[in-house]
Amino acid sequence: MIIGYGTIDEVIQSGTDLAIISVGSIEQHGPHLPVTTDWEIATALGEGVAKLIGGFYVPAFPVSTNREHMGKRGSAVGMSPDIFYDMMWDICVNLKNQGFKKIAIIPAHGGIFIMNPLIRELNATFQPDLMAAKLDCSEIWSEFFTEGILESKTELHAGEGETSLMLHINPQSVHMDKAIDWIPENARQGDLNYGSIHRYCPDGVWGNAKCATPEKGKKMLDHMITGLIKQMNRAFSLMENKQQIGNSWF
Ligand SMILES: [Zn+2]
């Protein structure tokens, strides 16, 4: 059950102390996917996790940080990392003040680099009263190739994986006739610190979008949802089983 879409009485009566926040991004996803891609994937992941384990699902946040997509009009609707940090901090404190003890955050966009310091600082400040876990899709992504779900392992953006996910989640929004394959020859992920993705990938695709299928997307989504729940259980059990060290719960 996704409590977040119900009434306030349903949220209260559920007795849950877990809040689930998934975070997307509004940014270019090549010529074939909508700018809402990460938001739609964030929604599918957050809903999927909440359906299996319960919890107060906060509808996915559409915007975050995405400077690496700057360069085309409408391709990077986001905010600066410090503002995102403050916004998330405020919302987590707000949830804590309403009695939530656990917050699971699912970033469905790879460019939210401020997420790690945010999680660490929340836990260092508020444990044991609040525990925050980051459920990391990128940890699971490498398994898609080794388990034979995806054919390519070079995707960084809008390639086989993201396109497959969108063919499964929202097929009408995908223009497969415009899908392209593009792997930049002399670029690596860290180069996005030096320039926008458009410097290395003119169409904004870094990966092989042409071989995407909805079947791959469904397998990916199911695999990610169970993988994220495993990560979450592990993180909360690590935190729940801690004892105070000196004057610190962290
Ligand atoms: Zn994306």
Side-chain angles (χ1 to χ4, degrees):
M1 178 195 181
I2 306 172
I3 298 164
Y5 292 145
T7 66
I8 189 60
D9 289 339
E10 285 168 339
V11 177
I12 294 165
Q13 280 155 20
S14 77
T16 189
D17 62 357
L18 167 69
I20 299 164
I21 301 174
S22 51
V23 185
S25 174
I26 303 297
E27 65 191 39
Q28 71 81 21
H29 272 76
H32 64 298
L33 293 176
V35 295
T36 51
T37 291
D38 287 345
W39 182 34
E40 296 187 48
I41 294 172
T43 300
L45 288 172
E47 286 183 1
V49 168
K51 262 182 199 155
L52 283 184
I53 59 164
F56 176 52
Y57 171 65
V58 181
F61 297 171
V63 290
S64 57
T65 60
N66 51 15
R67 296 288 197 238
E68 67 278 10
H69 292 281
M70 286 170 68
K72 292 183 182 178
R73 187 181 298 170
S75 77
V77 183
M79 62 191 88
S80 55
D82 51 340
I83 290 175
F84 180 79
Y85 183 102
D86 287 348
M87 177 194 80
M88 291 296 290
W89 183 273
D90 234 20
I91 289 166
C92 290
V93 171
N94 193 319
L95 288 165
K96 172 184 164 290
N97 291 342
Q98 294 168 57
F100 290 96
K101 284 185 165 336
K102 292 183 269 189
I103 301 178
I105 300 177
I106 308 170
H109 157 60
I112 314 177
F113 301 103
I114 198 74
M115 198 62 94
N116 282 342
L118 171 75
I119 298 285
R120 197 171 296 196
E121 202 61 22
L122 281 168
N123 286 321
T125 306
F126 295 118
Q127 279 182 3
D129 301 323
L130 179 75
M131 293 173 286
K134 176 190 157 193
L135 313 193
D136 192 345
C137 299
S138 66
E139 269 184 28
I140 299 168
W141 202 273
S142 60
E143 296 169 11
F144 293 138
F145 181 75
T146 51
E147 296 194 9
I149 296 173
L150 292 184
E151 296 169 55
S152 60
K153 56 178 173 180
T154 43
E155 171 167 2
L156 198 70
H157 191 71
E160 182 188 6
E162 278 196 300
T163 306
S164 294
L165 281 169
M166 286 303 282
L167 281 171
H168 170 56
I169 295 167
N170 185 3
Q172 292 93 330
S173 70
V174 183
H175 305 279
M176 277 311 280
D177 53 319
K178 293 184 179 156
I180 59 160
D181 294 344
W182 179 274
I183 311 291
E185 270 179 30
N186 294 313
R188 48 184 88 161
Q189 186 171 0
D191 292 346
L192 296 177
N193 289 331
Y194 312 126
S196 155
I197 192 169
H198 301 296
R199 309 265 171 201
Y200 317 107
C201 312
D203 295 301
V205 173
W206 186 326
N208 299 326
K210 284 184 182 172
C211 60
T213 69
E215 293 76 23
K216 290 174 183 170
K218 181 182 183 332
K219 280 187 198 164
M220 288 176 70
L221 186 64
D222 292 347
H223 192 86
M224 275 203 275
I225 288 166
T226 51
L228 292 178
I229 291 171
K230 271 188 215 157
Q231 283 183 18
M232 187 195 77
N233 290 339
R234 181 176 181 276
F236 286 137
S237 108
L238 270 177
M239 292 188 270
E240 274 167 335
N241 292 316
K242 281 196 302 187
Q243 299 298 323
Q244 198 168 1
I245 298 176
N247 64 350
S248 172
W249 275 97
F250 186 62

